[in-house]
Amino acid sequence: MTHELAIGDRTYSSWSLRGWLAFAGFNIPLTTRKARMYSPEFAALLADFAPARLVPAARINGTVVWDTLAIAETLAELYPEKHLWPAAPAARAHARAIVAEMHSGFVALRSACTMNLRHSYAGFTPEAAVLADVARVEQLWESCAAFDESGGGWLFGHYSLADVFYAPVATRIATYNLPVGPRAQTYVAKSLALPAFRRWRAMGLAEGFAQPGYDLDLPSSPWPGPTPLAARAVEGKAAINTLCPYSGKPVAANALLEIDGQVIGFCNPFCRDKTLHDPEAWPDAMALLTGR
């Protein structure tokens, strides 16, 4: 099967994150095509996924599918063995209900707290409507406990499309330090630690672009996700590998990264930089290091 996904800015596009996690969260292979939002390239990208007008838009086995919910349902049909929805009928119905509410609601939270994976702000003061949305999110998360299939810590025990759709909410709680109880904080931490999400955020940071109008003039705290392993870009050193761990192409002289005293080479600076921002999110790179 062949799949393509059109996305916007990884740092800011919550809908793109949902679309990508519907694939990457379940190890469904895809080719990602990206353009910066509000740019001519963005319009050209979407034109290739007509009649879609917004991201994400997918081409799944040659058929264009747009809207995150449609993409999710299409993948669930194509990959029943991956159990994108909970297995039990009652849990599956509940999951679809909370996903539908997320898909169509929470306007105050979306408007006041746009997704921004670059910052965790200190001093943000949410309005009453935002707090009401957050309280509703907590209520929905709590309601899932009755359908937990495994005790695995996700909304329905095992990772499902419900977790995909609420991933951007978890990032908003982290970015704006929105007040939630201990159980919700534990779930947010689990969402931020998901390897697929860590890779997404690392790629966004590697792109290094600040979309005008999205960042707030507030002090920032350290990102509350897992602390990245220390790494630094270097030059003029010998890499322990000759081929990029991702592409298999020859290592470039301007794409070297030092971790724990060992130098890994990549085929281009983007491959280096996405690894720099969170090395342990990239197993193929970490496998090059002795003992990892």
Side-chain angles (χ1 to χ4, degrees), residues 206-220:
E207 289 159 3
F209 175 70
Q211 187 69 249
Y214 277 74
D215 291 354
L216 300 181
D217 187 18
L218 288 172
S220 286

Side-chain angles (χ1 to χ4, degrees), residues 228-234 257-260 262 272 275-279:
L229 184 68
R232 66 187 185 101
V234 295
L257 187 67
E258 185 174 342
I259 303 173
D260 286 347
Q262 298 186 75
R272 176 200 64 198
T275 313
L276 168 68
H277 285 289
D278 196 348

Side-chain angles (χ1 to χ4, degrees), residues 6 42 46 51-57 66-67:
F42 188 70
L46 281 175
R53 296 191 304 156
L54 301 169
V55 290
W66 64 101
D67 187 280

Side-chain angles (χ1 to χ4, degrees), residues 83-84 86 148-161 163:
H83 306 292
L84 276 68
D148 190 336
E149 298 174 329
S150 70
W154 296 109
L155 292 176
F156 294 88
H158 296 292
Y159 190 73
S160 75
L161 288 169
D163 302 295

Side-chain angles (χ1 to χ4, degrees), residues 6 32 54 73 83 89 125 135 146 158 249 264 269 277 286:
T32 302
L54 301 169
E73 290 286 15
H83 306 292
T125 303
H158 296 292
K249 296 177 181 179
I264 300 175
H277 285 289
M286 294 303 295

Side-chain angles (χ1 to χ4, degrees), residues 6-254:
I7 63 170
D9 301 342
R10 290 184 175 95
T11 303
Y12 303 106
S13 178
S14 61
W15 293 103
S16 293
L17 171 60
R18 284 190 186 93
W20 190 79
L21 283 177
F23 290 88
F26 302 94
N27 297 313
I28 298 172
L30 80 157
T31 299
T32 302
R33 296 176 57 188
K34 177 190 172 296
R36 190 165 293 169
M37 297 185 301
Y38 315 115
S39 70
E41 293 77 16
F42 188 70
L45 173 63
L46 281 175
D48 196 35
F49 286 81
R53 296 191 304 156
L54 301 169
V55 290
R59 183 174 284 107
I60 300 175
N61 293 341
T63 300
V64 173
V65 184
W66 64 101
D67 187 280
T68 50
L69 195 50
I71 292 169
E73 290 286 15
T74 302
L75 293 177
E77 290 177 353
L78 282 175
Y79 296 94
E81 74 282 2
K82 292 185 177 291
H83 306 292
L84 276 68
W85 289 115
R92 190 162 61 251
H94 196 77
R96 283 184 164 130
I98 70 165
V99 164
E101 184 167 342
M102 180 72 257
H103 186 262
S104 61
F106 302 99
V107 175
L109 177 61
R110 295 179 195 276
S111 300
C113 303
T114 56
M115 192 178 84
N116 189 332
L117 304 184
R118 286 163 42 86
H119 299 287
S120 179
Y121 292 117
F124 178 79
T125 303
E127 297 179 352
V130 172
L131 293 175
D133 276 355
V134 172
R136 176 59 178 168
V137 167
E138 282 201 83
Q139 182 184 31
L140 292 177
W141 289 356
E142 289 283 345
S143 74
C144 298
F147 303 93
D148 190 336
E149 298 174 329
S150 70
W154 296 109
L155 292 176
F156 294 88
H158 296 292
Y159 190 73
S160 75
L161 288 169
D163 302 295
V164 167
F165 274 75
Y166 279 88
V169 175
T171 74
R172 286 174 165 97
I173 291 170
T175 293
Y176 299 92
N177 280 287
L178 300 173
V180 295
R183 289 186 64 176
Q185 284 287 9
T186 298
Y187 178 73
V188 168
K190 189 171 183 67
S191 297
L192 301 186
L194 180 74
F197 171 75
R198 291 173 67 175
R199 291 192 292 274
W200 173 274
R201 181 171 181 266
M203 288 187 284
L205 295 177
E207 289 159 3
F209 175 70
Q211 187 69 249
Y214 277 74
D215 291 354
L216 300 181
D217 187 18
L218 288 172
S220 286
S221 304
W223 181 253
T227 301
L229 184 68
R232 66 187 185 101
V234 295
E235 295 180 359
K237 294 191 175 186
I240 61 175
N241 58 307
T242 58
L243 300 178
C244 177
Y246 309 132
S247 69
K249 296 177 181 179
V251 164
N254 66 340

